[in-house]
Amino acid sequence: IAFIMYRSHTCGELRLADVNKEVTLSGWVQKIRNLGGMTFIDLRDRYGITQLVLDVESRKDLSEEARKLGREFVVQISGKVAERSNKNNKIATGDVEILVDKFVLLNPSELPPFTIEDETDGGDELRMKYRYLDLRRNPVRRNLELRHKLGFEVRNYLNQQNFIETETPVLIKSTPEGARDFIVPSRMNPGEFYALPQSPQVFKQLLMVAGFDRYFQIVKCFRDEDLRADRQPEFTQIDCEMAFVEQQDVLNTFEGMTKHLFKVIKDVEFDFKFPQMSFEDAIRYYGSDKPDVRFDMKFVEMKDMLGECGFKVFDDAEYVGGICAEGCASFTRKDLDKLTDYIRKPQIGAQGLVYVKYNTDGSFKSSVDKFFDEAALTQWVEAYGAKPGDLLLILAGQKTKTQNALCQLRLEMGERLGFRDKNKFAPLWVVDFPLLEWDEEAERYHAMHHPFTSPKKEDLALLETDPGVVRANAYDLVINGVEIGGGSIRIHDDELQHKMFQLLGFTEEEAENQFGFLMNAFKYGAPPHGGVAFGFDRLASLFAGIDSIRDVIAFPKNNSGRDVMIDSPSPIAKEQLDELNIALKKIK
RNA sequence: GGUCUGGUAGUUCAGUUGGUUAGAAUAUCGGCCUGUCACGCCGAGGGUCGCGAGUUCGAGUCUCGUCCAGACCGCCA
């Protein structure tokens, strides 16, 4: 049988032991180095680079042919493996080269718009437009290989723990709670629409009612909200649910999964139980529900200590708090001015920054020397546990705003002091989230997590009297200040679920219309259950040590939710619109 | 919806106080070169300074508008 054998080996596998073998390779021309009498070609595929040699003296014809090649041409070559006289220890195949005696041009290539190299000269926009070329580059390819491995190990681990991967529908039902839905018109049901799932939440709960016990799914979710570096309109979750569990069971299971992933993929071992911190403490000490605990630098609240102190900024403030930056007393006036500018940026919005330099000789220099004497400042540095050489940075103002600004300042200082090492990982469970959040605009409560989250038993009575302080059986896994996953123990009682909808301002009819199927299911023996969903893209970017999730997604969308490669979204034909019974208000 | 930053050669960028022919690196093309691997040397081509208007004797540079991109705020149960 005649067939073409495109390759006997990949471009990454030949070694000294292969010398003298006759081999055939196929790949892309990475680089041509023509030295006149001889030509070197780097041939690249997914697996690596192999150097080809063409010698004018022995094969003038091939050397002539090779002159017509360009970057990214696809070629197939055959030849003998030889030991190099000059070895290259930077690549795995650097000890050998191929003495080419036959080559076939499989496909020429236009000149790529940017260089296909680790350090490309291409900008983000161009790389996205030609993403198929960008994906040829090692760093991007490696990210996707890492993502593959992560998904594989998630399945491996959860399978061993008896979880069943089940697909849930993508064309579902729109609900007003939560994020904006992506909407899909139904041709067969004029005037009616599907929604794409923001998460398979209700389906996984129904699977628990169905007795599936342990479910997971690596699944696309969709939210029609504005994008960020760590937010895409379609993203992937590791969605999980378990029956007959309480909070600590879920935490144990997924702490186990997280440890497994770190061990097999990063060779990082956590020989401790992940710490747990209440939402309340997270806000008090770090000003955030997703604190970066790779470093300490906890907030110190000063309001009680200060009393009426005569410094108007502090006296008028609802909150006065600060952090101690180790060894930063040597900051110059200019450094401090820059920090002040930083916290006054509109996104952060603090008014000003009070500093106290605790000099190495034990003296003080502060921006509030006029108001506080040495005795007062001594009391401060004691409260902060500061040592000589440290710098106190203090903000004052409205409580949540100031805590938020202080959080940003803490992260900035952590960055400057080198505490935010990408190779160091600090996991943290944040627990005891509030059940409800007051929505100023709508003048009602909405669920902080989602309306299926159960309140803590001990707080149940408060639901009637003071719903705002009721805590939920809800938890987040935070690693290095990134919210990697979150979940809750759900309500499995239709009466309590009814009550929740009522609290959230649903009328009986609305609740029935939108979630009647769920409450109905709860009437048929729903087991206690709870679960978690991990942001798969964020997990992958954390493992890859990069800040943007775009580089761990094969074909991501840009800031405006566009795919610049396929140019979507795009208008559709009038016939399509007619068929869907859709009239556009205005067409550009 | 808002704030900020940017848009100049294929690409990444520089471009001073508004002033002569808009530069560098890299990529590309041509020539030379037998051990390169960031090859080297010599040479060449390559520009709607995002788009539109305004100010000015004169705009890459200043003003306004607009489009695009990125970061962030709002938003993201």
Side-chain angles (χ1 to χ4, degrees), chain A residues 237-275:
Chain A
Q237 283 192 348
I238 309 168
D239 192 54
C240 310
E241 196 77 4
M242 306 168 81
F244 305 115
V245 287
E246 44 185 58
Q247 177 163 317
Q248 195 55 48
D249 300 313
V250 179
L251 300 195
N252 289 343
T253 302
F254 291 97
E255 190 166 317
M257 184 185 85
T258 307
K259 284 176 173 172
H260 172 78
L261 295 175
F262 270 98
K263 176 139 204 299
V264 298
I265 292 170
K266 298 289 286 182
D267 198 27
V268 169
E269 224 162 320
F270 297 110
D271 54 359
F272 53 85
K273 237 179 133 34
F274 289 1

Side-chain angles (χ1 to χ4, degrees), chain A residues 338-407:
Chain A
K338 263 194 190 159
L339 269 188
T340 308
D341 286 346
Y342 175 79
I343 54 111
R344 290 171 85 159
K345 283 197 303 188
Q347 286 89 340
I348 297 178
Q351 298 297 308
L353 178 67
V354 170
Y355 68 86
V356 180
K357 289 184 185 178
Y358 187 16
N359 295 318
T360 41
D361 63 8
S363 66
F364 295 106
K365 174 78 188 88
S366 83
S367 55
V368 286
D369 282 344
K370 262 191 269 179
F371 303 93
F372 300 97
D373 57 17
E374 204 179 317
L377 297 181
T378 304
Q379 194 194 354
W380 291 14
V381 297
E382 266 166 29
Y384 280 85
K387 301 180 304 294
D390 292 353
L391 172 72
L392 308 188
L393 297 168
I394 299 161
L395 298 178
Q398 192 267 327
K399 188 168 179 177
T400 51
K401 261 188 132 173
T402 306
Q403 283 175 323
N404 184 49
L406 197 54
C407 169

